[in-house]
Amino acid sequence: QVQLVESGGGLVQPGGSQRLSCAASGSIRRIYTMGWYRQAPGKQRELVATITSDGSTNYSDSVKGRFTISRDNAKNTVYLQMNGLKPEDTAVYYCNIRMLGSYWGQGTQVTVSS
């Protein structure tokens, strides 16, 4: 079994910053891609950012230049540094890892509001 534990969500004011973490444990083999997705109320889950095992990154246009994804392979952990947060970034954020299968975290709520 694989467990993903996310942390770092909460309430933040517009323009603020927040850092999400997601640690994988259990039957971990080689992790290819790690990523973050989000789902706002009434909307489909969407890609935020991904990072491959060699460090190549991909961002959605809506977060490019504001969010930074990184990973620590020794800790099987992926991070999402979010700067310049906007109300439209409000969503439940899910981490995802891809090995031979795809695994999801339980989600962490991020609310951007004054």
Side-chain angles (χ1 to χ4, degrees):
Q1 287 188 338
V2 175
Q3 297 81 39
L4 300 181
V5 178
E6 299 156 348
S7 60
L11 175 65
V12 63
Q13 291 189 341
S17 298
Q18 206 161 49
R19 189 191 195 207
L20 305 181
S21 301
C22 175
S25 62
S27 300
I28 302 297
R29 298 292 182 265
R30 180 183 176 187
I31 301 176
Y32 296 105
T33 303
M34 308 181 84
W36 290 93
Y37 294 73
R38 67 187 182 186
Q39 188 167 17
K43 295 187 177 181
Q44 290 187 334
R45 190 173 298 188
E46 64 175 3
L47 167 74
V48 176
T50 60
I51 183 167
T52 64
S53 56
D54 64 359
S56 297
T57 58
N58 180 51
Y59 296 91
S60 69
D61 288 342
S62 62
V63 307
K64 202 171 294 184
R66 299 187 297 124
F67 292 9
T68 302
I69 190 170
S70 61
R71 63 190 281 175
D72 184 332
N73 291 328
K75 298 180 179 179
N76 294 323
T77 300
V78 62
Y79 306 95
L80 185 68
Q81 177 65 42
M82 304 183 291
N83 299 327
L85 283 161
K86 305 175 181 179
E88 51 264 44
D89 294 318
T90 296
V92 177
Y93 284 70
Y94 298 90
C95 73
N96 171 266
I97 66 169
R98 295 184 183 177
M99 301 183 293
L100 293 181
S102 181
Y103 301 87
W104 292 90
Q106 79 284 359
T108 184
Q109 176 71 45
V110 174
T111 302
V112 185
S113 176
S114 55

